[in-house]
Amino acid sequence: MNRIILGIESSCDETAAAIYTTERGVLANSISSQIKSHSMYGGVVPEIASAQHLPVVQAIVQQALATAGITIQDVDAIAVTNKPGLPGSLLVGMSFAKGIAYGADKPIIGINHLEGHIFSACLEHKVEFPTLCITASGGHTAMYLVEGYGDYRLISQTRDDAAGEAFDKIAKLLNIPYPGGPIIEQLAATTAFTDYFAYPRGKKDMIDFSFSGLKTAVLYDLIDRGWYNKEEKRFTALQPTAKAQVASSLLCAISDIICAKATLALKSHANVRSICFVGGVACNTFIAKQLTTVATQHGLSLYVPSKQYCTDNAAMIAFVGHYKLQQGLIDSLALDIL
Ligand code: KG4
Ligand code: ZN
């Protein structure tokens, strides 16, 4: 039976709504990004994020319904991100979802944002299970063993910063605005992804991620080279190529760390039949290419969502809502955040 799901996502700095259907997949994927409002602060400011969801959430949901050519009456369930995320931001999407669920008498389904990312590669690919899912975003970095829809187990996580957070924090040292990841990749491309400074890769036999040491290593390396003013917190190198050299070395280090953890995971989970690389950092084509090599060495396919589904979006929320509805996992209007 064809099922139509409206997904709503507002856990961080993107207000998003999408329509997913059994027969035709994603019919609409609307998004309003706040990146410009946060870039001057070097990261997401929670108070600004929640305040900016409020005036746009209704228009974004309307836009998704209109693009799909349906009305709220056609929807079978409303899937809304209820955890994890910034509480004030989650509340906006959740309250709006509850309002329309109540008004239109539709079931509501609370979705874990991370579960959305985990299954985001399934929006466009027929993923073979069990799959090793590497999620790397600004807020989270982890690996999951995924046996099927809704059936996943955490096998590794970060002990400190997320991979995207490492890109963003080190980018800040280089006077690069938030989000730093895409600009680091562009700069690295100008050097053909050369590893100039061989930053440390951390403990090779540890399956958990750790990126805070890398940030410290880069900071002290910059100070040693006379490229960073600690008092003014400013990148001061005069050579025009310096920033690109740091960016490229950083990208090589983070890519190597992710590939090493994936290789460790594959060693202890020999039944894995594919690999997924998801989350905002999966927009990085250099890391995806390196991971493809790892996958090929193990005789596996690597699945990476297109960029619109790597970064925060509501299509992945609607997708999870779709299989939860089929599994009979709906919530009541008492659904809470976090
Ligand atoms: O998934 P996402 O949109 O939001 C979170 O849930 O965090 O991920 C955003 C993160 C940011 O840290 C950003 O710097 C990083 O993804 N990112 C990238 C690239 N594009 C986005 N990191 C490295 N290379 C990229 N091309
Ligand atoms: Zn996310």
Side-chain angles (χ1 to χ4, degrees), residues 111-177:
I111 307 292
N112 181 329
H113 178 83
L114 300 175
E115 188 168 340
H117 278 301
I118 291 170
F119 292 93
S120 58
C122 300
L123 283 164
E124 299 156 297
H125 303 283
K126 178 110 196 61
V127 174
E128 302 92 5
F129 297 119
T131 185
L132 172 70
C133 183
I134 306 159
T135 68
S137 70
H140 307 274
T141 295
M143 289 191 291
Y144 298 86
L145 188 65
V146 187
E147 303 277 359
Y149 293 146
D151 183 0
Y152 57 95
R153 181 163 63 83
L154 180 74
I155 57 172
S156 153
Q157 60 190 323
T158 179
R159 298 201 171 171
D160 37 64
D161 293 346
E165 199 177 357
F167 276 116
D168 298 338
K169 283 182 173 173
I170 298 169
K172 205 173 168 183
L173 296 177
L174 303 175
N175 306 339
I176 293 170

Short mmCIF file of all heavy atoms in Angstrom, two decimals, residues 111-177:
data_model
loop_
_atom_site.label_atom_id
_atom_site.label_comp_id
_atom_site.label_asym_id
_atom_site.label_seq_id
_atom_site.Cartn_x
_atom_site.Cartn_y
_atom_site.Cartn_z
N ILE A 111 11.36 10.81 15.69
CA ILE A 111 12.51 10.19 15.00
C ILE A 111 13.82 10.65 15.63
O ILE A 111 14.02 11.85 15.87
CB ILE A 111 12.51 10.56 13.50
CG1 ILE A 111 11.16 10.26 12.83
CG2 ILE A 111 13.68 9.87 12.77
CD1 ILE A 111 10.80 8.79 12.71
N ASN A 112 14.71 9.70 15.86
CA ASN A 112 16.06 9.99 16.30
C ASN A 112 16.83 10.53 15.08
O ASN A 112 16.95 9.84 14.06
CB ASN A 112 16.69 8.69 16.83
CG ASN A 112 18.10 8.89 17.34
OD1 ASN A 112 18.84 9.73 16.86
ND2 ASN A 112 18.48 8.08 18.32
N HIS A 113 17.35 11.74 15.20
CA HIS A 113 18.07 12.39 14.10
C HIS A 113 19.21 11.50 13.57
O HIS A 113 19.45 11.41 12.36
CB HIS A 113 18.63 13.72 14.62
CG HIS A 113 19.43 14.50 13.65
ND1 HIS A 113 18.86 15.33 12.71
CD2 HIS A 113 20.77 14.57 13.46
CE1 HIS A 113 19.82 15.88 11.98
NE2 HIS A 113 20.99 15.45 12.42
N LEU A 114 19.89 10.81 14.48
CA LEU A 114 21.02 9.96 14.08
C LEU A 114 20.55 8.76 13.27
O LEU A 114 21.21 8.33 12.33
CB LEU A 114 21.81 9.50 15.31
CG LEU A 114 22.39 10.66 16.12
CD1 LEU A 114 23.06 10.16 17.39
CD2 LEU A 114 23.39 11.43 15.28
N GLU A 115 19.38 8.23 13.63
CA GLU A 115 18.80 7.13 12.85
C GLU A 115 18.49 7.63 11.43
O GLU A 115 18.66 6.91 10.45
CB GLU A 115 17.54 6.58 13.53
CG GLU A 115 17.00 5.32 12.89
CD GLU A 115 15.93 4.61 13.73
OE1 GLU A 115 15.87 4.86 14.96
OE2 GLU A 115 15.16 3.82 13.16
N GLY A 116 18.06 8.90 11.34
CA GLY A 116 17.84 9.50 10.03
C GLY A 116 19.11 9.47 9.20
O GLY A 116 19.13 8.99 8.07
N HIS A 117 20.21 9.96 9.78
CA HIS A 117 21.49 9.94 9.05
C HIS A 117 21.88 8.50 8.68
O HIS A 117 22.33 8.24 7.56
CB HIS A 117 22.61 10.55 9.89
CG HIS A 117 22.66 12.06 9.85
ND1 HIS A 117 22.84 12.76 8.68
CD2 HIS A 117 22.59 12.99 10.83
CE1 HIS A 117 22.86 14.06 8.94
NE2 HIS A 117 22.70 14.24 10.24
N ILE A 118 21.73 7.57 9.63
CA ILE A 118 22.18 6.18 9.40
C ILE A 118 21.53 5.59 8.14
O ILE A 118 22.18 4.90 7.36
CB ILE A 118 21.87 5.29 10.64
CG1 ILE A 118 22.76 5.70 11.82
CG2 ILE A 118 22.04 3.81 10.31
CD1 ILE A 118 22.37 5.05 13.14
N PHE A 119 20.23 5.90 7.94
CA PHE A 119 19.53 5.31 6.80
C PHE A 119 19.45 6.25 5.60
O PHE A 119 18.77 5.94 4.61
CB PHE A 119 18.14 4.81 7.24
CG PHE A 119 18.26 3.63 8.18
CD1 PHE A 119 18.28 3.82 9.56
CD2 PHE A 119 18.44 2.35 7.68
CE1 PHE A 119 18.44 2.75 10.43
CE2 PHE A 119 18.60 1.27 8.54
CZ PHE A 119 18.61 1.47 9.92
N SER A 120 20.16 7.39 5.66
CA SER A 120 20.06 8.37 4.56
C SER A 120 20.59 7.82 3.24
O SER A 120 20.11 8.22 2.17
CB SER A 120 20.77 9.67 4.93
OG SER A 120 22.14 9.43 5.23
N ALA A 121 21.55 6.91 3.29
CA ALA A 121 22.07 6.34 2.03
C ALA A 121 21.01 5.46 1.36
O ALA A 121 21.06 5.23 0.15
CB ALA A 121 23.34 5.53 2.29
N CYS A 122 20.04 4.98 2.15
CA CYS A 122 18.99 4.10 1.59
C CYS A 122 17.99 4.89 0.74
O CYS A 122 17.18 4.29 0.02
CB CYS A 122 18.24 3.39 2.71
SG CYS A 122 19.31 2.36 3.73
N LEU A 123 18.01 6.24 0.84
CA LEU A 123 17.09 7.04 0.03
C LEU A 123 17.36 6.86 -1.46
O LEU A 123 16.45 6.92 -2.28
CB LEU A 123 17.23 8.53 0.39
CG LEU A 123 16.58 8.99 1.69
CD1 LEU A 123 17.11 10.35 2.11
CD2 LEU A 123 15.06 9.05 1.55
N GLU A 124 18.63 6.64 -1.79
CA GLU A 124 18.99 6.56 -3.22
C GLU A 124 19.66 5.24 -3.62
O GLU A 124 19.93 5.03 -4.80
CB GLU A 124 19.97 7.69 -3.57
CG GLU A 124 19.41 9.08 -3.35
CD GLU A 124 20.52 10.09 -3.14
OE1 GLU A 124 21.26 9.97 -2.15
OE2 GLU A 124 20.64 11.00 -3.97
N HIS A 125 19.98 4.40 -2.63
CA HIS A 125 20.71 3.18 -2.96
C HIS A 125 20.04 1.95 -2.34
O HIS A 125 19.43 2.05 -1.28
CB HIS A 125 22.15 3.26 -2.43
CG HIS A 125 22.91 4.44 -2.93
ND1 HIS A 125 23.43 4.49 -4.19
CD2 HIS A 125 23.21 5.63 -2.34
CE1 HIS A 125 24.03 5.65 -4.36
NE2 HIS A 125 23.91 6.37 -3.26
N LYS A 126 20.24 0.82 -3.00
CA LYS A 126 19.76 -0.44 -2.42
C LYS A 126 20.94 -0.98 -1.60
O LYS A 126 21.82 -1.65 -2.12
CB LYS A 126 19.36 -1.39 -3.57
CG LYS A 126 18.88 -2.73 -3.16
CD LYS A 126 17.38 -2.92 -3.39
CE LYS A 126 16.82 -4.14 -2.64
NZ LYS A 126 16.98 -4.05 -1.18
N VAL A 127 20.96 -0.64 -0.32
CA VAL A 127 22.09 -0.98 0.55
C VAL A 127 21.97 -2.44 1.01
O VAL A 127 20.91 -2.85 1.48
CB VAL A 127 22.12 -0.03 1.77
CG1 VAL A 127 23.19 -0.45 2.76
CG2 VAL A 127 22.34 1.41 1.31
N GLU A 128 23.08 -3.20 0.90
CA GLU A 128 23.05 -4.59 1.38
C GLU A 128 23.34 -4.60 2.87
O GLU A 128 24.34 -4.04 3.31
CB GLU A 128 24.11 -5.44 0.67
CG GLU A 128 24.00 -5.49 -0.85
CD GLU A 128 24.84 -4.41 -1.53
OE1 GLU A 128 25.57 -3.70 -0.83
OE2 GLU A 128 24.73 -4.28 -2.76
N PHE A 129 22.48 -5.25 3.65
CA PHE A 129 22.70 -5.39 5.10
C PHE A 129 23.36 -6.74 5.38
O PHE A 129 23.13 -7.67 4.61
CB PHE A 129 21.38 -5.31 5.86
CG PHE A 129 20.68 -3.99 5.72
CD1 PHE A 129 19.40 -3.91 5.15
CD2 PHE A 129 21.28 -2.82 6.16
CE1 PHE A 129 18.75 -2.69 5.03
CE2 PHE A 129 20.63 -1.60 6.03
CZ PHE A 129 19.37 -1.53 5.47
N PRO A 130 24.15 -6.87 6.45
CA PRO A 130 24.53 -5.80 7.36
C PRO A 130 25.50 -4.83 6.69
O PRO A 130 26.35 -5.22 5.89
CB PRO A 130 25.24 -6.52 8.50
CG PRO A 130 25.40 -7.93 8.11
CD PRO A 130 24.70 -8.17 6.84
N THR A 131 25.31 -3.54 7.03
CA THR A 131 26.20 -2.53 6.49
C THR A 131 26.94 -1.85 7.63
O THR A 131 26.40 -1.74 8.74
CB THR A 131 25.40 -1.50 5.64
OG1 THR A 131 26.32 -0.60 5.03
CG2 THR A 131 24.41 -0.70 6.46
N LEU A 132 28.17 -1.44 7.36
CA LEU A 132 28.91 -0.64 8.34
C LEU A 132 28.60 0.81 8.00
O LEU A 132 28.94 1.27 6.91
CB LEU A 132 30.42 -0.91 8.22
CG LEU A 132 31.29 0.03 9.06
CD1 LEU A 132 31.15 -0.27 10.55
CD2 LEU A 132 32.77 -0.09 8.65
N CYS A 133 27.93 1.52 8.92
CA CYS A 133 27.58 2.91 8.64
C CYS A 133 28.48 3.86 9.41
O CYS A 133 28.50 3.84 10.65
CB CYS A 133 26.11 3.16 8.98
SG CYS A 133 25.65 4.85 8.57
N ILE A 134 29.23 4.66 8.67
CA ILE A 134 30.11 5.66 9.29
C ILE A 134 29.37 6.99 9.21
O ILE A 134 29.10 7.50 8.12
CB ILE A 134 31.45 5.76 8.50
CG1 ILE A 134 32.09 4.39 8.37
CG2 ILE A 134 32.39 6.76 9.16
CD1 ILE A 134 33.10 4.30 7.23
N THR A 135 28.99 7.54 10.36
CA THR A 135 28.31 8.83 10.37
C THR A 135 29.28 9.89 10.87
O THR A 135 29.90 9.73 11.91
CB THR A 135 27.06 8.85 11.27
OG1 THR A 135 27.48 8.73 12.62
CG2 THR A 135 26.12 7.72 10.97
N ALA A 136 29.42 10.95 10.10
CA ALA A 136 30.36 12.01 10.48
C ALA A 136 29.72 13.35 10.17
O ALA A 136 29.53 13.71 9.01
CB ALA A 136 31.67 11.84 9.72
N SER A 137 29.36 14.07 11.24
CA SER A 137 28.74 15.39 11.04
C SER A 137 29.37 16.38 11.99
O SER A 137 30.40 16.10 12.63
CB SER A 137 27.23 15.28 11.26
OG SER A 137 26.96 15.08 12.62
N GLY A 138 28.74 17.56 12.10
CA GLY A 138 29.28 18.58 13.00
C GLY A 138 29.03 18.24 14.46
O GLY A 138 29.76 18.67 15.34
N GLY A 139 27.98 17.46 14.71
CA GLY A 139 27.62 17.16 16.09
C GLY A 139 27.98 15.74 16.53
O GLY A 139 28.09 15.47 17.73
N HIS A 140 28.15 14.83 15.56
CA HIS A 140 28.34 13.42 15.91
C HIS A 140 29.33 12.74 14.97
O HIS A 140 29.37 13.07 13.79
CB HIS A 140 27.02 12.65 15.82
CG HIS A 140 25.93 13.30 16.61
ND1 HIS A 140 25.74 13.04 17.94
CD2 HIS A 140 25.02 14.23 16.26
CE1 HIS A 140 24.74 13.79 18.37
NE2 HIS A 140 24.29 14.52 17.38
N THR A 141 30.07 11.80 15.51
CA THR A 141 30.90 10.93 14.66
C THR A 141 30.88 9.56 15.31
O THR A 141 31.23 9.41 16.49
CB THR A 141 32.34 11.48 14.53
OG1 THR A 141 32.26 12.72 13.82
CG2 THR A 141 33.22 10.53 13.74
N ALA A 142 30.42 8.56 14.57
CA ALA A 142 30.25 7.22 15.13
C ALA A 142 30.19 6.20 14.01
O ALA A 142 30.04 6.56 12.84
CB ALA A 142 28.96 7.17 15.95
N MET A 143 30.33 4.92 14.38
CA MET A 143 30.11 3.84 13.42
C MET A 143 29.05 2.90 14.00
O MET A 143 29.04 2.65 15.21
CB MET A 143 31.41 3.07 13.15
CG MET A 143 32.42 3.88 12.35
SD MET A 143 33.82 2.91 11.76
CE MET A 143 34.67 2.56 13.28
N TYR A 144 28.18 2.42 13.11
CA TYR A 144 27.11 1.51 13.52
C TYR A 144 27.15 0.26 12.65
O TYR A 144 27.47 0.33 11.46
CB TYR A 144 25.73 2.17 13.32
CG TYR A 144 25.52 3.41 14.14
CD1 TYR A 144 25.93 4.65 13.66
CD2 TYR A 144 24.91 3.36 15.40
CE1 TYR A 144 25.74 5.80 14.41
CE2 TYR A 144 24.70 4.51 16.15
CZ TYR A 144 25.12 5.73 15.64
OH TYR A 144 24.92 6.86 16.39
N LEU A 145 26.78 -0.86 13.27
CA LEU A 145 26.56 -2.08 12.52
C LEU A 145 25.05 -2.13 12.29
O LEU A 145 24.28 -2.18 13.26
CB LEU A 145 27.03 -3.29 13.31
CG LEU A 145 27.01 -4.59 12.53
CD1 LEU A 145 28.00 -4.53 11.37
CD2 LEU A 145 27.35 -5.76 13.43
N VAL A 146 24.63 -2.07 11.03
CA VAL A 146 23.21 -1.96 10.72
C VAL A 146 22.73 -3.26 10.07
O VAL A 146 23.20 -3.66 9.00
CB VAL A 146 22.96 -0.78 9.75
CG1 VAL A 146 21.47 -0.55 9.55
CG2 VAL A 146 23.63 0.50 10.27
N GLU A 147 21.79 -3.92 10.74
CA GLU A 147 21.30 -5.24 10.26
C GLU A 147 20.06 -5.09 9.39
O GLU A 147 19.75 -5.98 8.59
CB GLU A 147 20.95 -6.13 11.46
CG GLU A 147 22.09 -6.38 12.44
CD GLU A 147 23.03 -7.50 12.00
OE1 GLU A 147 22.79 -8.11 10.95
OE2 GLU A 147 24.03 -7.73 12.73
N GLY A 148 19.32 -4.00 9.57
CA GLY A 148 18.08 -3.80 8.80
C GLY A 148 17.45 -2.50 9.25
O GLY A 148 18.00 -1.80 10.11
N TYR A 149 16.27 -2.16 8.68
CA TYR A 149 15.62 -0.90 9.03
C TYR A 149 15.30 -0.84 10.52
O TYR A 149 14.59 -1.69 11.05
CB TYR A 149 14.34 -0.72 8.21
CG TYR A 149 14.60 -0.54 6.73
CD1 TYR A 149 13.73 -1.04 5.78
CD2 TYR A 149 15.75 0.12 6.29
CE1 TYR A 149 13.97 -0.88 4.41
CE2 TYR A 149 16.01 0.28 4.94
CZ TYR A 149 15.12 -0.22 4.01
OH TYR A 149 15.38 -0.07 2.67
N GLY A 150 15.84 0.14 11.20
CA GLY A 150 15.60 0.33 12.62
C GLY A 150 16.42 -0.59 13.51
O GLY A 150 16.33 -0.53 14.73
N ASP A 151 17.24 -1.44 12.89
CA ASP A 151 18.00 -2.45 13.64
C ASP A 151 19.50 -2.13 13.52
O ASP A 151 20.14 -2.52 12.55
CB ASP A 151 17.68 -3.83 13.06
CG ASP A 151 18.36 -4.96 13.83
OD1 ASP A 151 19.07 -4.68 14.82
OD2 ASP A 151 18.18 -6.13 13.42
N TYR A 152 20.01 -1.37 14.46
CA TYR A 152 21.41 -0.94 14.38
C TYR A 152 22.05 -0.90 15.76
O TYR A 152 21.37 -0.75 16.77
CB TYR A 152 21.51 0.44 13.70
CG TYR A 152 20.71 1.53 14.38
CD1 TYR A 152 21.29 2.38 15.31
CD2 TYR A 152 19.36 1.70 14.09
CE1 TYR A 152 20.55 3.37 15.94
CE2 TYR A 152 18.61 2.68 14.71
CZ TYR A 152 19.21 3.52 15.63
OH TYR A 152 18.48 4.50 16.25
N ARG A 153 23.38 -1.05 15.77
CA ARG A 153 24.12 -1.11 17.04
C ARG A 153 25.37 -0.24 16.92
O ARG A 153 26.11 -0.33 15.95
CB ARG A 153 24.50 -2.59 17.28
CG ARG A 153 25.23 -2.87 18.55
CD ARG A 153 25.18 -4.37 18.86
NE ARG A 153 25.84 -5.21 17.86
CZ ARG A 153 27.15 -5.45 17.85
NH1 ARG A 153 27.95 -4.92 18.75
NH2 ARG A 153 27.69 -6.24 16.92
N LEU A 154 25.57 0.59 17.95
CA LEU A 154 26.75 1.47 17.98
C LEU A 154 28.00 0.63 18.23
O LEU A 154 28.04 -0.15 19.17
CB LEU A 154 26.58 2.49 19.12
CG LEU A 154 27.70 3.50 19.32
CD1 LEU A 154 27.68 4.57 18.22
CD2 LEU A 154 27.59 4.17 20.68
N ILE A 155 29.03 0.78 17.37
CA ILE A 155 30.27 0.02 17.62
C ILE A 155 31.47 0.94 17.87
O ILE A 155 32.52 0.47 18.28
CB ILE A 155 30.58 -0.99 16.50
CG1 ILE A 155 30.68 -0.30 15.14
CG2 ILE A 155 29.57 -2.11 16.46
CD1 ILE A 155 31.18 -1.25 14.05
N SER A 156 31.30 2.24 17.64
CA SER A 156 32.41 3.16 17.86
C SER A 156 31.86 4.58 17.87
O SER A 156 30.91 4.89 17.14
CB SER A 156 33.42 3.01 16.72
OG SER A 156 34.14 4.18 16.50
N GLN A 157 32.43 5.42 18.71
CA GLN A 157 32.00 6.82 18.71
C GLN A 157 33.18 7.72 19.03
O GLN A 157 34.26 7.23 19.35
CB GLN A 157 30.86 7.05 19.69
CG GLN A 157 31.21 6.72 21.12
CD GLN A 157 29.98 6.73 22.02
OE1 GLN A 157 29.09 7.55 21.85
NE2 GLN A 157 29.95 5.83 22.98
N THR A 158 32.97 9.02 18.97
CA THR A 158 34.08 9.91 19.28
C THR A 158 34.18 10.13 20.79
O THR A 158 33.16 10.20 21.47
CB THR A 158 33.99 11.25 18.52
OG1 THR A 158 35.12 12.05 18.90
CG2 THR A 158 32.70 12.00 18.81
N ARG A 159 35.40 10.19 21.27
CA ARG A 159 35.61 10.43 22.69
C ARG A 159 35.62 11.92 23.01
O ARG A 159 35.61 12.31 24.17
CB ARG A 159 36.94 9.81 23.13
CG ARG A 159 36.91 8.31 22.93
CD ARG A 159 37.92 7.60 23.76
NE ARG A 159 37.69 6.17 23.68
CZ ARG A 159 38.52 5.26 24.16
NH1 ARG A 159 39.63 5.64 24.77
NH2 ARG A 159 38.23 3.99 24.05
N ASP A 160 35.69 12.75 21.97
CA ASP A 160 35.70 14.20 22.22
C ASP A 160 34.96 14.91 21.08
O ASP A 160 33.75 14.88 21.04
CB ASP A 160 37.14 14.72 22.40
CG ASP A 160 38.14 14.02 21.49
OD1 ASP A 160 37.98 14.17 20.27
OD2 ASP A 160 39.05 13.32 22.00
N ASP A 161 35.70 15.52 20.15
CA ASP A 161 35.04 16.29 19.09
C ASP A 161 34.54 15.38 17.97
O ASP A 161 35.07 14.30 17.75
CB ASP A 161 36.04 17.28 18.47
CG ASP A 161 36.45 18.36 19.46
OD1 ASP A 161 35.78 18.51 20.50
OD2 ASP A 161 37.45 19.06 19.18
N ALA A 162 33.51 15.87 17.26
CA ALA A 162 33.06 15.18 16.04
C ALA A 162 34.00 15.58 14.90
O ALA A 162 34.70 16.59 14.99
CB ALA A 162 31.63 15.61 15.73
N ALA A 163 33.99 14.79 13.81
CA ALA A 163 34.89 15.08 12.68
C ALA A 163 34.60 16.47 12.10
O ALA A 163 35.52 17.25 11.83
CB ALA A 163 34.73 14.01 11.61
N GLY A 164 33.30 16.78 11.93
CA GLY A 164 32.94 18.09 11.38
C GLY A 164 33.36 19.21 12.31
O GLY A 164 33.79 20.28 11.87
N GLU A 165 33.24 18.94 13.61
CA GLU A 165 33.63 19.93 14.62
C GLU A 165 35.15 20.19 14.51
O GLU A 165 35.60 21.32 14.67
CB GLU A 165 33.29 19.33 15.98
CG GLU A 165 33.19 20.29 17.11
CD GLU A 165 32.76 19.56 18.39
OE1 GLU A 165 32.49 18.34 18.37
OE2 GLU A 165 32.72 20.25 19.43
N ALA A 166 35.92 19.12 14.25
CA ALA A 166 37.37 19.28 14.10
C ALA A 166 37.66 20.17 12.89
O ALA A 166 38.48 21.10 12.98
CB ALA A 166 38.03 17.91 13.93
N PHE A 167 36.96 19.91 11.76
CA PHE A 167 37.14 20.78 10.59
C PHE A 167 36.80 22.23 10.96
O PHE A 167 37.53 23.15 10.63
CB PHE A 167 36.22 20.34 9.44
CG PHE A 167 36.78 19.23 8.58
CD1 PHE A 167 36.18 18.00 8.53
CD2 PHE A 167 37.92 19.44 7.82
CE1 PHE A 167 36.68 16.98 7.73
CE2 PHE A 167 38.44 18.44 7.01
CZ PHE A 167 37.82 17.20 6.97
N ASP A 168 35.65 22.40 11.63
CA ASP A 168 35.17 23.76 11.92
C ASP A 168 36.09 24.50 12.90
O ASP A 168 36.37 25.68 12.74
CB ASP A 168 33.74 23.71 12.47
CG ASP A 168 32.76 23.12 11.47
OD1 ASP A 168 33.06 23.13 10.27
OD2 ASP A 168 31.69 22.64 11.90
N LYS A 169 36.56 23.78 13.95
CA LYS A 169 37.40 24.44 14.96
C LYS A 169 38.77 24.80 14.39
O LYS A 169 39.30 25.87 14.67
CB LYS A 169 37.59 23.50 16.17
CG LYS A 169 36.38 23.45 17.10
CD LYS A 169 36.68 22.56 18.28
CE LYS A 169 35.58 22.61 19.33
NZ LYS A 169 35.81 21.62 20.40
N ILE A 170 39.34 23.89 13.59
CA ILE A 170 40.67 24.18 13.03
C ILE A 170 40.53 25.25 11.93
O ILE A 170 41.40 26.11 11.79
CB ILE A 170 41.37 22.89 12.56
CG1 ILE A 170 41.57 21.98 13.79
CG2 ILE A 170 42.71 23.19 11.90
CD1 ILE A 170 42.01 20.56 13.51
N ALA A 171 39.40 25.22 11.21
CA ALA A 171 39.15 26.27 10.21
C ALA A 171 39.14 27.64 10.89
O ALA A 171 39.65 28.62 10.35
CB ALA A 171 37.82 26.02 9.51
N LYS A 172 38.58 27.68 12.10
CA LYS A 172 38.50 28.94 12.84
C LYS A 172 39.91 29.48 13.12
O LYS A 172 40.15 30.69 13.07
CB LYS A 172 37.75 28.69 14.15
CG LYS A 172 37.07 29.91 14.72
CD LYS A 172 36.21 29.53 15.92
CE LYS A 172 35.76 30.76 16.67
NZ LYS A 172 34.99 30.46 17.87
N LEU A 173 40.85 28.55 13.42
CA LEU A 173 42.25 28.97 13.65
C LEU A 173 42.83 29.61 12.39
O LEU A 173 43.75 30.41 12.47
CB LEU A 173 43.13 27.75 14.00
CG LEU A 173 42.86 26.97 15.29
CD1 LEU A 173 43.80 25.79 15.39
CD2 LEU A 173 43.02 27.89 16.50
N LEU A 174 42.28 29.22 11.23
CA LEU A 174 42.79 29.73 9.95
C LEU A 174 41.97 30.93 9.45
O LEU A 174 42.06 31.30 8.28
CB LEU A 174 42.76 28.61 8.89
CG LEU A 174 43.54 27.33 9.23
CD1 LEU A 174 43.31 26.27 8.15
CD2 LEU A 174 45.03 27.62 9.35
N ASN A 175 41.15 31.51 10.34
CA ASN A 175 40.26 32.64 9.99
C ASN A 175 39.24 32.27 8.91
O ASN A 175 38.82 33.10 8.12
CB ASN A 175 41.05 33.88 9.49
CG ASN A 175 42.13 34.32 10.43
OD1 ASN A 175 42.10 34.00 11.62
ND2 ASN A 175 43.10 35.05 9.93
N ILE A 176 38.86 30.99 8.87
CA ILE A 176 37.85 30.54 7.89
C ILE A 176 36.50 30.50 8.61
O ILE A 176 36.39 29.95 9.70
CB ILE A 176 38.20 29.13 7.35
CG1 ILE A 176 39.50 29.19 6.53
CG2 ILE A 176 37.06 28.54 6.54
CD1 ILE A 176 40.05 27.83 6.15
N PRO A 177 35.45 31.12 8.02
CA PRO A 177 34.14 31.15 8.69
C PRO A 177 33.46 29.78 8.76
O PRO A 177 33.78 28.88 7.97
CB PRO A 177 33.33 32.12 7.84
CG PRO A 177 33.97 32.09 6.49
CD PRO A 177 35.43 31.80 6.71
#
